[in-house]
Amino acid sequence: MRAAVLREFNIPITVEDVDLLDLDPHRVLVQTKASPFCSTDVTSFHGNLGKVPPTILGHASTGEVIEVGTQVEGIRPGQRVIIPGTPECGNCYYCGIGRPDQCSELFDIGGIYPDIARTAEGLPVSAAGCVGGYAEIMNVSKNQVFPVETDLPYDVLSLLGCGITTGVGAVFNVAKVQPGDSVAVVGCGHLGLWVVQAARLAGAGRIIALEPHAGRRSLAGELGATDLVDPSVQDAADAVKSLTAGRGADIVIEAAGSPDAQRLALEVSRRAGTVVFSGLDQAGAEVKLPQIPLAVQSRQLLSTQNGNVRMRRDLPRYICLLERGMLDAKPIITSRYSLDDINLALKKSENLDDLSGIFVF
Ligand SMILES: [Zn+2]
Ligand SMILES: [Zn+2]
C-alpha cells in the first residue's frame, strides 16, 4: 500500500510503497476513505511529541472494513467505521470506571506503537497513535474500530475521531454547559469552532470567542459566537468582564494549546467558574498559574482528552446532530488533499491557512 512515512523529524514526509504485516487475530484492516490533517501532527513532525520514526502519522480517520482478524467479533467487511485517536478496550481500569478516554490500550504502552508495515528496505514502520491514517490502508486494533450507520460523507465522518469529539465533548461531557451560561472560547481553530457550535447547541447565553486570527474570529461569529475579542490588541480580561456584568465568564474552554492560552483562560473566568483545558503544546511544556484564582477564588480547573467521550454512546449523538445540520462541518473543512499533498497540508496547517485539510482516498 502507499503510505506517507515520516522517516526523520523536520525532513519532508515521503509517500512510498510499504508492505503490510500479516493481520493479527485481534486486528482489523480498514481501507482509508478520509483522514483529517491534525495540527498535532505539525508538532509530531518537529519531533516534539515523542513519536519514533519511521512512522505513519494521522491519529484519527474513517474508512471501510476490508478484513477482520480471526478473533474479532461484531465487525464485518464492508462496514463504514470511525477510527478515533483513542481505543476503548472495555476491560482496563479506565474503561471500567467509564473513562475510556484514558484507555490503557493507548496510554499504558509507553508510547511504543505497533509496527504495521515494512519499508522496501525492510525497516519496520509503526502507526503513530495506533492509527496511521495517512496511508491507503490502516491496520488497527479491533478496540479502535467503531461501525456507524449514516449516509454522511466520509470527509465529515473523519472529523469524529478527534476534532468533533474533543470540542463537542468538552462542552457537554466536561464543562456541562447549562442554558444561559456565559462561555468564553480561547482559540477558534478547528477545535474551538466545534466548541463554539456546541456551546450554541447547549443554549449558552453569551459565547465569547477569543481569537487573534481575523478570519477564524469572524467564522466563530458565523457559527454562533455572540461576541468577538482579539486578544492580540484588546485586554481580553477587561473585554470578557465588560460582557459578563464585571465578573468574567461562567465557563471558559481553552482550545489553543499554548501555556499562554491556558493562563488567559483562567484570567477571563469568574470566581467559582469552570475552566477546561483541551489543547496541547508539546511534550514537556509547563503552565504556570497564579494561586489565588484557584485556591481562594475556587475556580474549577478541568482538563480533557478527546472530550471525555464514550464512543459507543456519543458517536450516534454527534452523527445525529451533523445529519440534522445542528453541527456544521462545511466551514471547518477548508481543503481536500490527495496523499501526495502531505507536505503541503503540513505547511498550510502550520501557517494557519487550513482549519481542517482532509486527505480523501
Ligand atoms: Zn487531532
Ligand atoms: Zn480500556
Side-chain angles (χ1 to χ4, degrees), residues 87-96 99-100 102-105:
E88 293 188 7
C89 79
N91 294 315
C92 73
Y93 173 82
Y94 292 98
C95 285
R99 290 297 305 273
Q102 296 300 317
C103 180
S104 287
E105 188 170 304

Side-chain angles (χ1 to χ4, degrees), residues 224-311:
T226 57
D227 303 278
L228 309 176
V229 174
D230 179 353
S232 67
V233 299
Q234 287 170 272
D235 183 313
D238 282 351
V240 173
K241 278 186 182 155
S242 74
L243 294 165
T244 52
R247 289 191 294 268
D250 300 323
I251 290 170
V252 185
I253 299 178
E254 174 275 323
S258 73
D260 283 347
Q262 296 185 327
R263 270 194 301 275
L264 181 64
L266 186 68
E267 211 179 303
V268 302
S269 64
R270 68 157 163 79
R271 297 198 307 277
T274 299
V275 180
V276 179
F277 289 176
S278 75
L280 173 65
D281 193 26
Q282 53 179 275
E286 293 187 356
V287 195
K288 194 173 161 211
L289 299 172
Q291 207 172 18
I292 293 280
L294 291 171
V296 179
Q297 298 178 349
S298 195
R299 284 168 177 80
Q300 308 300 297
L301 179 57
L302 306 172
S303 73
T304 181
Q305 198 290 113
N306 202 27
N308 294 17
V309 296
R310 299 187 210 176
M311 295 301 279

Side-chain angles (χ1 to χ4, degrees), residues 36-41 59-60 161-163 166 190:
F37 186 89
C38 183
S39 51
T40 309
D41 282 332
H59 61 263
C162 171
T166 304
H190 80 110

Side-chain angles (χ1 to χ4, degrees), residues 199-210:
R200 182 188 55 188
L201 275 182
R206 285 208 112 102
I207 302 170
I208 307 163
L210 287 81

